[in-house]
Amino acid sequence: MKKPSASKGLIEDLVAASRILADQQVLDAYGHVSARSDKRADRFIMSRSLAPALVTAKDLMELDVDSEPLPGDKRKGFIERYIHGEIYRARPEVMAVVHSHSPSVIPFGVTRSKLRPVYHMGSFLWSGTPVFDIRREREDNDLLVRDRPLGLALAKSLGKCTCVLMRGHGMTVVGDGVPEAVFRAIYTEMNARLQLQATQLEGPIEFLSDAEGRGSTAANRGTIERPWELWKKRALGRK
Ligand SMILES: [Zn+2]
């Protein structure tokens, strides 16, 4: 199998990301992470259809601008790879995407309650958390983003935000690199859990202001290597 056109460092980061997200229980047997190729901006790299905890470098596939495998690669890709491809097409600055079925996020996709940043680790959510309702796109659906038109509709719902919730399904987050997308997937789940806890207490909930959200998002970018190294060691160390 031809090696994906991406640097060795990016391949290593992607394998680590799959293991980390499984280790942190953001992904179980479902969900996936991808990265835009650092050698060809019109392509992206993600695993073949496989549980994230089992992903190795050999399982990574290169997908073209339409989310299809390169000629000759007969391996089975994820059904929902169109989520990734259409976001890369719509958002040139996005370098990595995580799609998960993060449990604490689900209630916010099926109610009127908005997921909003309750603490600095979730500050990137200040940009808004639109809800993608697949039924509005296709009445007869199986909840999966299984083709390009659905991927395009999801990317439209995401707009310029960092996170889009998917009604009755999960969420998708984007980042400027693999560590940032992983960070956001982990802290979207935590923020959702904390917001649900806060609703049990005397309200109203004091959310981060937009200015705080913007400032804290920039500050977190400066320290992302610290959790990334820790998560990587935990996830890869025990294999
Ligand atoms: Zn899914």
Side-chain angles (χ1 to χ4, degrees), residues 30-32 80 83 99-101 143-145 166 169-172:
Y30 296 95
H32 19 82
E80 295 196 286
I83 293 172
H99 166 61
S100 85
H101 305 156
L143 277 308
L144 300 180
V145 178
M166 300 155 78
H169 180 171
M171 63 144 184
T172 298

Side-chain angles (χ1 to χ4, degrees), residues 99-168:
H99 166 61
S100 85
H101 305 156
S102 216
S104 306
V105 168
I106 303 298
F108 295 95
V110 297
T111 60
R112 283 164 183 265
S113 295
K114 289 237 176 299
L115 180 65
R116 293 178 62 192
V118 291
Y119 75 147
H120 64 136
M121 304 309 281
S123 55
F124 56 90
L125 298 170
W126 78 270
S127 65
T129 53
V131 178
F132 170 69
D133 187 348
I134 196 167
R135 203 188 292 141
R136 270 189 234 133
E137 292 303 317
R138 202 172 290 172
E139 181 73 33
D140 185 13
N141 73 82
D142 62 2
L143 277 308
L144 300 180
V145 178
R146 52 170 57 255
D147 54 36
R148 274 188 56 203
L150 289 174
L152 178 66
L154 176 76
K156 268 196 190 144
S157 288
L158 171 69
K160 293 191 183 322
C161 299
T162 54
C163 172
V164 59
L165 309 187
M166 300 155 78
R167 195 264 307 158

Side-chain angles (χ1 to χ4, degrees), residues 12-180:
E12 281 172 9
D13 278 357
L14 261 182
V15 172
S18 279
R19 305 288 190 92
I20 289 167
L21 291 165
D23 192 55
Q24 296 286 322
Q25 296 174 332
V26 171
L27 302 184
D28 47 15
Y30 296 95
H32 19 82
V33 51
S34 73
R36 189 190 291 278
S37 166
D38 52 359
K39 299 225 167 120
R40 284 201 54 153
D42 59 338
R43 293 187 179 169
F44 64 102
I45 316 291
M46 76 189 289
S47 158
R48 68 185 173 92
S49 181
L50 185 67
L54 306 177
V55 169
T56 66
K58 290 198 303 291
D59 300 305
L60 297 182
M61 299 173 71
E62 184 169 351
L63 300 168
D64 69 15
V65 69
D66 295 328
S67 309
E68 299 303 341
L70 299 188
D73 191 345
K74 300 279 181 249
R75 293 177 293 175
K76 185 170 175 266
F78 284 108
I79 294 169
E80 295 196 286
R81 57 190 184 277
Y82 305 97
I83 293 172
H84 302 251
E86 294 308 311
I87 290 175
Y88 290 126
R89 194 197 306 271
R91 296 270 300 268
E93 84 289 6
V94 166
M95 296 306 285
V97 174
V98 176
H99 166 61
S100 85
H101 305 156
S102 216
S104 306
V105 168
I106 303 298
F108 295 95
V110 297
T111 60
R112 283 164 183 265
S113 295
K114 289 237 176 299
L115 180 65
R116 293 178 62 192
V118 291
Y119 75 147
H120 64 136
M121 304 309 281
S123 55
F124 56 90
L125 298 170
W126 78 270
S127 65
T129 53
V131 178
F132 170 69
D133 187 348
I134 196 167
R135 203 188 292 141
R136 270 189 234 133
E137 292 303 317
R138 202 172 290 172
E139 181 73 33
D140 185 13
N141 73 82
D142 62 2
L143 277 308
L144 300 180
V145 178
R146 52 170 57 255
D147 54 36
R148 274 188 56 203
L150 289 174
L152 178 66
L154 176 76
K156 268 196 190 144
S157 288
L158 171 69
K160 293 191 183 322
C161 299
T162 54
C163 172
V164 59
L165 309 187
M166 300 155 78
R167 195 264 307 158
H169 180 171
M171 63 144 184
T172 298
V173 291
V174 301
D176 67 353
V178 174
E180 187 172 81

